[in-house]
Amino acid sequence: MHRRNRLYVTIGLAYGLLGGLLMIVRLAEPGLAPPNAARIHAHMMLLGFVLMTIYGVGLHVLPRFGGYPVRSERIATVQFWLANAGLPLMIAGWAGSTDRLVAAGGVLTVAAMALFGINMIVTVRLRSPLDAGDAQRVPPGGLRRDG
């Protein structure tokens, strides 16, 4: 597994733990949590835990469905940095009630989502140079039965 993909999964797990911890703190002592704790928690869980894990697993597994490598490792790496800059900016913006940080983080996060979608579509759906003359590739309908 590519190091970047392992980092995605690791970071996703960290966001899940931190998001859960934030809500435990809020329930135990509401005064210790920031005013936007519920919004921060929701985004840590959905964009942090769920989406980062999807990115890591998706970048590893989805290309293998088509039998190809990721079409662009460069796009995947740019996506990694956009995603991992966007969510912390959003969290910092909500914690400090700074809408500009939230907006900037949102733009980076959506850009990361778009890059992931584009990279996966061209990886899985379009023909690869590896298709030419590759008689051993498993067809989309399933396994070959020789004999």
Side-chain angles (χ1 to χ4, degrees), residues 86-107:
L87 183 54
L89 281 175
M90 292 171 73
I91 292 168
W94 283 314
S97 298
T98 309
D99 290 342
R100 288 183 184 204
L101 280 180
V102 175
V107 167

PDB file of all heavy atoms in Angstrom, residues 86-107:
ATOM      1  N   GLY A  86      -7.505  21.523   4.323  1.00  0.00           N
ATOM      2  CA  GLY A  86      -8.869  22.044   4.348  1.00  0.00           C
ATOM      3  C   GLY A  86      -9.601  21.816   5.660  1.00  0.00           C
ATOM      4  O   GLY A  86     -10.156  22.760   6.236  1.00  0.00           O
ATOM      5  N   LEU A  87      -9.608  20.596   6.141  1.00  0.00           N
ATOM      6  CA  LEU A  87     -10.363  20.304   7.365  1.00  0.00           C
ATOM      7  C   LEU A  87      -9.805  21.035   8.588  1.00  0.00           C
ATOM      8  O   LEU A  87     -10.581  21.629   9.339  1.00  0.00           O
ATOM      9  CB  LEU A  87     -10.468  18.797   7.600  1.00  0.00           C
ATOM     10  CG  LEU A  87     -11.286  18.365   8.812  1.00  0.00           C
ATOM     11  CD1 LEU A  87     -12.693  18.963   8.789  1.00  0.00           C
ATOM     12  CD2 LEU A  87     -11.346  16.855   8.890  1.00  0.00           C
ATOM     13  N   PRO A  88      -8.489  21.048   8.813  1.00  0.00           N
ATOM     14  CA  PRO A  88      -7.988  21.821   9.958  1.00  0.00           C
ATOM     15  C   PRO A  88      -8.325  23.312   9.863  1.00  0.00           C
ATOM     16  O   PRO A  88      -8.597  23.950  10.888  1.00  0.00           O
ATOM     17  CB  PRO A  88      -6.476  21.599   9.915  1.00  0.00           C
ATOM     18  CG  PRO A  88      -6.321  20.291   9.232  1.00  0.00           C
ATOM     19  CD  PRO A  88      -7.432  20.236   8.214  1.00  0.00           C
ATOM     20  N   LEU A  89      -8.314  23.862   8.651  1.00  0.00           N
ATOM     21  CA  LEU A  89      -8.715  25.269   8.502  1.00  0.00           C
ATOM     22  C   LEU A  89     -10.175  25.465   8.890  1.00  0.00           C
ATOM     23  O   LEU A  89     -10.519  26.447   9.560  1.00  0.00           O
ATOM     24  CB  LEU A  89      -8.502  25.746   7.064  1.00  0.00           C
ATOM     25  CG  LEU A  89      -7.083  26.121   6.663  1.00  0.00           C
ATOM     26  CD1 LEU A  89      -7.023  26.459   5.180  1.00  0.00           C
ATOM     27  CD2 LEU A  89      -6.577  27.280   7.497  1.00  0.00           C
ATOM     28  N   MET A  90     -11.029  24.552   8.467  1.00  0.00           N
ATOM     29  CA  MET A  90     -12.443  24.645   8.832  1.00  0.00           C
ATOM     30  C   MET A  90     -12.612  24.551  10.350  1.00  0.00           C
ATOM     31  O   MET A  90     -13.353  25.341  10.948  1.00  0.00           O
ATOM     32  CB  MET A  90     -13.252  23.539   8.131  1.00  0.00           C
ATOM     33  CG  MET A  90     -13.336  23.720   6.632  1.00  0.00           C
ATOM     34  SD  MET A  90     -14.050  22.293   5.792  1.00  0.00           S
ATOM     35  CE  MET A  90     -15.749  22.444   6.254  1.00  0.00           C
ATOM     36  N   ILE A  91     -11.931  23.608  10.961  1.00  0.00           N
ATOM     37  CA  ILE A  91     -12.026  23.434  12.416  1.00  0.00           C
ATOM     38  C   ILE A  91     -11.522  24.686  13.140  1.00  0.00           C
ATOM     39  O   ILE A  91     -12.166  25.171  14.069  1.00  0.00           O
ATOM     40  CB  ILE A  91     -11.245  22.173  12.856  1.00  0.00           C
ATOM     41  CG1 ILE A  91     -11.950  20.921  12.337  1.00  0.00           C
ATOM     42  CG2 ILE A  91     -11.103  22.127  14.371  1.00  0.00           C
ATOM     43  CD1 ILE A  91     -11.123  19.658  12.467  1.00  0.00           C
ATOM     44  N   ALA A  92     -10.384  25.216  12.685  1.00  0.00           N
ATOM     45  CA  ALA A  92      -9.836  26.430  13.305  1.00  0.00           C
ATOM     46  C   ALA A  92     -10.799  27.601  13.133  1.00  0.00           C
ATOM     47  O   ALA A  92     -10.980  28.408  14.056  1.00  0.00           O
ATOM     48  CB  ALA A  92      -8.478  26.762  12.700  1.00  0.00           C
ATOM     49  N   GLY A  93     -11.423  27.682  11.978  1.00  0.00           N
ATOM     50  CA  GLY A  93     -12.389  28.751  11.737  1.00  0.00           C
ATOM     51  C   GLY A  93     -13.589  28.660  12.658  1.00  0.00           C
ATOM     52  O   GLY A  93     -14.034  29.668  13.214  1.00  0.00           O
ATOM     53  N   TRP A  94     -14.124  27.472  12.840  1.00  0.00           N
ATOM     54  CA  TRP A  94     -15.271  27.322  13.744  1.00  0.00           C
ATOM     55  C   TRP A  94     -14.877  27.531  15.195  1.00  0.00           C
ATOM     56  O   TRP A  94     -15.626  28.120  15.961  1.00  0.00           O
ATOM     57  CB  TRP A  94     -15.924  25.956  13.577  1.00  0.00           C
ATOM     58  CG  TRP A  94     -16.773  25.864  12.361  1.00  0.00           C
ATOM     59  CD1 TRP A  94     -17.685  26.770  11.920  1.00  0.00           C
ATOM     60  CD2 TRP A  94     -16.783  24.804  11.408  1.00  0.00           C
ATOM     61  NE1 TRP A  94     -18.262  26.348  10.757  1.00  0.00           N
ATOM     62  CE2 TRP A  94     -17.728  25.128  10.415  1.00  0.00           C
ATOM     63  CE3 TRP A  94     -16.088  23.601  11.303  1.00  0.00           C
ATOM     64  CZ2 TRP A  94     -18.002  24.312   9.340  1.00  0.00           C
ATOM     65  CZ3 TRP A  94     -16.358  22.790  10.227  1.00  0.00           C
ATOM     66  CH2 TRP A  94     -17.305  23.142   9.259  1.00  0.00           C
ATOM     67  N   ALA A  95     -13.698  27.053  15.567  1.00  0.00           N
ATOM     68  CA  ALA A  95     -13.253  27.227  16.954  1.00  0.00           C
ATOM     69  C   ALA A  95     -13.027  28.699  17.277  1.00  0.00           C
ATOM     70  O   ALA A  95     -13.283  29.140  18.399  1.00  0.00           O
ATOM     71  CB  ALA A  95     -11.973  26.430  17.203  1.00  0.00           C
ATOM     72  N   GLY A  96     -12.576  29.472  16.279  1.00  0.00           N
ATOM     73  CA  GLY A  96     -12.317  30.892  16.501  1.00  0.00           C
ATOM     74  C   GLY A  96     -13.370  31.808  15.919  1.00  0.00           C
ATOM     75  O   GLY A  96     -13.180  33.018  15.878  1.00  0.00           O
ATOM     76  N   SER A  97     -14.474  31.242  15.439  1.00  0.00           N
ATOM     77  CA  SER A  97     -15.559  32.017  14.808  1.00  0.00           C
ATOM     78  C   SER A  97     -15.033  32.925  13.694  1.00  0.00           C
ATOM     79  O   SER A  97     -15.365  34.102  13.612  1.00  0.00           O
ATOM     80  CB  SER A  97     -16.305  32.839  15.865  1.00  0.00           C
ATOM     81  OG  SER A  97     -16.899  31.983  16.805  1.00  0.00           O
ATOM     82  N   THR A  98     -14.213  32.350  12.818  1.00  0.00           N
ATOM     83  CA  THR A  98     -13.644  33.082  11.690  1.00  0.00           C
ATOM     84  C   THR A  98     -14.168  32.464  10.399  1.00  0.00           C
ATOM     85  O   THR A  98     -13.664  31.432   9.951  1.00  0.00           O
ATOM     86  CB  THR A  98     -12.095  33.019  11.727  1.00  0.00           C
ATOM     87  OG1 THR A  98     -11.654  33.407  13.018  1.00  0.00           O
ATOM     88  CG2 THR A  98     -11.490  33.919  10.677  1.00  0.00           C
ATOM     89  N   ASP A  99     -15.174  33.102   9.818  1.00  0.00           N
ATOM     90  CA  ASP A  99     -15.815  32.556   8.624  1.00  0.00           C
ATOM     91  C   ASP A  99     -14.864  32.417   7.435  1.00  0.00           C
ATOM     92  O   ASP A  99     -15.018  31.511   6.623  1.00  0.00           O
ATOM     93  CB  ASP A  99     -17.012  33.415   8.233  1.00  0.00           C
ATOM     94  CG  ASP A  99     -18.167  33.282   9.211  1.00  0.00           C
ATOM     95  OD1 ASP A  99     -18.183  32.297   9.975  1.00  0.00           O
ATOM     96  OD2 ASP A  99     -19.052  34.156   9.214  1.00  0.00           O
ATOM     97  N   ARG A 100     -13.894  33.293   7.331  1.00  0.00           N
ATOM     98  CA  ARG A 100     -12.963  33.211   6.190  1.00  0.00           C
ATOM     99  C   ARG A 100     -12.129  31.939   6.237  1.00  0.00           C
ATOM    100  O   ARG A 100     -11.851  31.341   5.202  1.00  0.00           O
ATOM    101  CB  ARG A 100     -12.063  34.432   6.147  1.00  0.00           C
ATOM    102  CG  ARG A 100     -12.807  35.663   5.711  1.00  0.00           C
ATOM    103  CD  ARG A 100     -11.911  36.853   5.605  1.00  0.00           C
ATOM    104  NE  ARG A 100     -12.723  38.009   5.282  1.00  0.00           N
ATOM    105  CZ  ARG A 100     -12.269  39.073   4.692  1.00  0.00           C
ATOM    106  NH1 ARG A 100     -10.994  39.140   4.372  1.00  0.00           N
ATOM    107  NH2 ARG A 100     -13.069  40.073   4.428  1.00  0.00           N
ATOM    108  N   LEU A 101     -11.738  31.523   7.422  1.00  0.00           N
ATOM    109  CA  LEU A 101     -10.998  30.260   7.543  1.00  0.00           C
ATOM    110  C   LEU A 101     -11.885  29.078   7.171  1.00  0.00           C
ATOM    111  O   LEU A 101     -11.438  28.145   6.497  1.00  0.00           O
ATOM    112  CB  LEU A 101     -10.462  30.073   8.960  1.00  0.00           C
ATOM    113  CG  LEU A 101      -9.195  30.819   9.341  1.00  0.00           C
ATOM    114  CD1 LEU A 101      -8.818  30.513  10.787  1.00  0.00           C
ATOM    115  CD2 LEU A 101      -8.056  30.475   8.416  1.00  0.00           C
ATOM    116  N   VAL A 102     -13.132  29.135   7.618  1.00  0.00           N
ATOM    117  CA  VAL A 102     -14.074  28.056   7.286  1.00  0.00           C
ATOM    118  C   VAL A 102     -14.259  27.984   5.773  1.00  0.00           C
ATOM    119  O   VAL A 102     -14.218  26.894   5.183  1.00  0.00           O
ATOM    120  CB  VAL A 102     -15.431  28.254   8.001  1.00  0.00           C
ATOM    121  CG1 VAL A 102     -16.427  27.198   7.552  1.00  0.00           C
ATOM    122  CG2 VAL A 102     -15.253  28.229   9.507  1.00  0.00           C
ATOM    123  N   ALA A 103     -14.437  29.137   5.141  1.00  0.00           N
ATOM    124  CA  ALA A 103     -14.641  29.170   3.688  1.00  0.00           C
ATOM    125  C   ALA A 103     -13.402  28.667   2.948  1.00  0.00           C
ATOM    126  O   ALA A 103     -13.511  27.875   2.006  1.00  0.00           O
ATOM    127  CB  ALA A 103     -14.987  30.581   3.241  1.00  0.00           C
ATOM    128  N   ALA A 104     -12.223  29.115   3.375  1.00  0.00           N
ATOM    129  CA  ALA A 104     -10.982  28.665   2.720  1.00  0.00           C
ATOM    130  C   ALA A 104     -10.809  27.158   2.878  1.00  0.00           C
ATOM    131  O   ALA A 104     -10.462  26.457   1.919  1.00  0.00           O
ATOM    132  CB  ALA A 104      -9.782  29.405   3.310  1.00  0.00           C
ATOM    133  N   GLY A 105     -11.060  26.657   4.072  1.00  0.00           N
ATOM    134  CA  GLY A 105     -10.973  25.220   4.300  1.00  0.00           C
ATOM    135  C   GLY A 105     -11.987  24.451   3.478  1.00  0.00           C
ATOM    136  O   GLY A 105     -11.684  23.373   2.948  1.00  0.00           O
ATOM    137  N   GLY A 106     -13.180  25.002   3.353  1.00  0.00           N
ATOM    138  CA  GLY A 106     -14.214  24.354   2.543  1.00  0.00           C
ATOM    139  C   GLY A 106     -13.820  24.264   1.077  1.00  0.00           C
ATOM    140  O   GLY A 106     -14.033  23.231   0.427  1.00  0.00           O
ATOM    141  N   VAL A 107     -13.227  25.328   0.559  1.00  0.00           N
ATOM    142  CA  VAL A 107     -12.785  25.326  -0.841  1.00  0.00           C
ATOM    143  C   VAL A 107     -11.712  24.264  -1.050  1.00  0.00           C
ATOM    144  O   VAL A 107     -11.754  23.496  -2.022  1.00  0.00           O
ATOM    145  CB  VAL A 107     -12.270  26.723  -1.253  1.00  0.00           C
ATOM    146  CG1 VAL A 107     -11.530  26.678  -2.576  1.00  0.00           C
ATOM    147  CG2 VAL A 107     -13.429  27.712  -1.322  1.00  0.00           C
TER     148      VAL A 107
END
